[in-house]
Amino acid sequence: MFKANNNVLDQGVKPIALFQTEGLKKKDWLKYPTVIQEEYAFDEESETYYLPDETFSEWQNHIPTLNEPVQIGASTVSNIVVGSKELEEVAPKIYYGLMDHSFKCRSQLHYEKSGIPMLLKEQSNDDIFFVGHNEEPSIRRAFMRLYEKKHPEDIVILTNDKTTYRCGITNSDGSLKYPFMICNHDGFLEINGYEGIIECKTVAPHSPARKLIQQKICPFAYFCQVQYMLKCFNRAFGFIVFKMGMALTDYVIIRIDRDNEFIDVMMNLVAEFVAGVISCTEPSIEGQNVEQLNKFYRAKAGNYNPKLEPVELPTECSEVLEDIMSLNVQMKMLLEQKEDLLKDRNKLLVEKIFPIVQEANEAYCETKYGKIIINLKNDSQQGIRFNEQKFKDEKPELYESYSKTLTVVDKDLLKNEQPAIYEQYSIRSEYLTPSKENYCEVKICG
């Protein structure tokens, strides 16, 4: 017989409903402000309104009418707290899976929440979000079938409540204690009168979390997400339902009970992060995932820019550059160890070089052997498209003189003879490709 501990609940606290994200009837849609109504699309089949996936994703980060400078959703919280020693100390041992894994680093999230755009975008597949979102109804039905078959004695009620909520806990003056806290969920659960939530996940074949989940170990990022939701909705337990394949036997169900000690530490960390965004105080890189930090610094710095001057590094960086140069040599010689060496090199870059270099293409350091130069952006023609039409419209004489018989610009000749003009009309890819993410060349100039 199912039981849960209701002593962990915040007495008398209920979540504050904001907006319904789908299945919204017209009479309820008309109650919303015009600025909110305009964001919805109409579903002819069900004759209800819903938030398109793109808008839904945007509202995970910021709801237009919510007058809060920073809003933190449940799917975002792991990016803030992963790598925290305080949180690891109170984390249940069973959840020590992928402890250092998050979908982006704390520093990148800080920039995003501050409204500072990255100069390069990460390549992503929007179809993954679409598929996961649309699988939720079938995952809920699978959960009910599996749970009721295994626990026929329990009375289970699953409610598909597609509403965005705020946490209802208040301070002594009546203000919200966690004004930044907003949450969506995949369903409210009630089992034998105990209230909980359900979270639905579709696990891709290549996911690093797959092996853990098959052992019924919840990845730490998802554990944080559920604990955050349990606080917001004031519920005692949650079930994460992982769809691993097409058969019912491919589903993995993990129960997570509310852990207030863990939640208290987590909420303090989130509050500190929010305060840092508001005060424009960048978070420390300590404890952050090196690979995610490397992506952040690369995306922040942008493409190769010939107008940027090299940065002179402090003399003490000469040993760091020598170590990076040595790692580069080792990577060429020991291809089978490339992944580990790359991580070591990126660790040196994010800890010692990127914070000083910032957006520059290269940097240098004077040593007794001569000047050591480190290039961090590759002036490769890969990912660059020459805007021929614009060049033709704005520089017709030059276009004519560099045109071939088929009126195609001789771009190689133009680049050699008029490099500034060529650069002016060159379009570099705006995405953070693997070649940009891992480019680093070090050489000694006597």
Side-chain angles (χ1 to χ4, degrees), residues 120-123 298 303 382-383 429-439:
L120 290 175
K121 302 175 183 177
E122 276 198 67
Q123 293 175 309
R298 301 284 188 171
N303 279 315
Q382 246 184 348
S429 168
E430 61 182 357
Y431 290 101
L432 181 62
T433 60
S435 61
K436 292 178 185 175
E437 184 181 328
N438 293 310
Y439 181 78

Side-chain angles (χ1 to χ4, degrees), residues 304-306 379 386 418-428:
Y304 178 86
N305 186 346
D379 187 21
F386 186 78
Q418 303 268 5
I421 295 294
Y422 179 85
E423 183 65 33
Q424 182 182 347
Y425 292 92
S426 294
I427 302 172
R428 298 179 186 273

Side-chain angles (χ1 to χ4, degrees), residues 245-256:
M246 296 301 293
L248 275 175
T249 52
D250 293 329
Y251 282 79
V252 175
I253 300 173
I254 299 178
R255 174 178 171 174
I256 295 178

Side-chain angles (χ1 to χ4, degrees), residues 313-323 365-367 372:
L313 299 170
T315 307
E316 55 266 26
C317 284
S318 63
E319 292 184 7
V320 177
L321 295 186
E322 289 171 9
D323 288 342
C365 191
E366 298 289 352
T367 74
I372 300 182

Side-chain angles (χ1 to χ4, degrees), residues 33 49 70 75 87 188 196 206 212 249 253 266-267 344 378 426 446:
Y49 292 85
V70 185
S75 60
L87 204 61
F188 280 143
H206 59 272
L212 278 176
T249 52
I253 300 173
M266 177 175 67
M267 296 309 297
D344 290 341
N378 184 5
S426 294

Side-chain angles (χ1 to χ4, degrees), residues 120 122 291-292 294-295 298 342 345-346 349 354 376 432-440:
L120 290 175
E122 276 198 67
E291 292 309 308
Q292 296 291 353
N294 181 59
K295 287 182 179 180
R298 301 284 188 171
L342 185 62
R345 189 196 72 181
N346 287 343
L349 285 170
F354 281 133
L376 296 165
L432 181 62
T433 60
S435 61
K436 292 178 185 175
E437 184 181 328
N438 293 310
Y439 181 78
C440 178

Side-chain angles (χ1 to χ4, degrees), residues 123-151:
Q123 293 175 309
S124 61
N125 185 353
D126 293 336
D127 290 344
I128 293 176
F129 177 82
F130 174 82
V131 170
H133 186 61
N134 283 276
E135 285 284 353
E136 290 170 10
S138 65
I139 295 176
R140 281 192 292 268
R141 287 192 292 270
F143 168 80
M144 288 296 289
R145 185 178 180 88
L146 290 167
Y147 189 90
E148 289 178 339
K149 186 176 181 179
K150 189 174 182 180
H151 305 282

Side-chain angles (χ1 to χ4, degrees), residues 168-227:
I169 300 174
T170 58
N171 297 308
S172 57
D173 62 358
S175 62
L176 291 177
K177 185 174 183 179
Y178 305 114
F180 52 79
M181 195 177 197
I182 57 171
C183 284
N184 294 92
H185 62 100
D186 297 334
F188 280 143
L189 266 176
E190 185 179 316
I191 305 179
N192 299 337
Y194 296 101
E195 294 183 333
I197 61 170
I198 183 173
E199 179 65 19
C200 305
K201 301 291 184 187
T202 304
V203 184
H206 59 272
S207 170
R210 194 173 182 87
K211 288 184 178 179
L212 278 176
I213 295 167
Q214 287 170 335
Q215 301 171 56
K216 289 203 169 185
I217 298 175
C218 181
F220 191 62
Y222 296 149
F223 179 72
C224 294
Q225 179 183 0
V226 171
Q227 292 291 345

